[in-house]
Amino acid sequence: MAIGPVALYAVVAVAPSVLFWCALKVPAGVRWWRARRRPELPAGPPIEKLAADLRRVHRLGELPEGFDREIERLRVEESLAERGLSVS
């Protein structure tokens, strides 16, 4: 018995299943590989933005007591809270 026709039959019978399996698994593997190589993004805002907000807080001492200072304090507090910084 010749091995050629049997091997050819095995390839023809198995090839569609292997191709469909590859079509399903290869894209997920590529996504995983790309995600593994991608650098992690920072969780919070950039430090420059936080520093700018804190400089605004420091300027609150320059404003005279009253409505304008209170409004500015509330605006800065809300801005910091939106960025994840707790103000007490």
Side-chain angles (χ1 to χ4, degrees):
M1 180 165 142
I3 193 74
V6 173
L8 181 61
Y9 175 75
V11 168
V12 168
V14 173
S17 298
V18 171
L19 289 175
F20 281 114
W21 181 84
C22 287
L24 292 173
K25 297 297 181 179
V26 168
V30 169
R31 279 192 301 274
W32 172 80
W33 186 72
R34 284 183 181 168
R36 194 175 60 114
R37 293 179 46 100
R38 187 177 311 134
E40 291 185 28
L41 297 175
I47 191 72
E48 294 86 6
K49 185 69 174 165
L50 288 174
D53 288 341
L54 290 175
R55 278 193 296 273
R56 274 190 235 119
V57 171
H58 182 67
R59 280 188 286 199
L60 286 176
E62 299 169 4
L63 292 174
E65 290 288 330
F67 186 72
D68 290 336
R69 183 175 183 172
E70 189 64 23
I71 291 298
E72 181 65 14
R73 185 191 65 77
L74 290 172
R75 189 190 64 76
V76 171
E77 184 177 330
E78 179 63 26
S79 175
L80 291 172
E82 286 175 357
R83 289 167 179 78
L85 196 66
S86 176
V87 179
S88 56

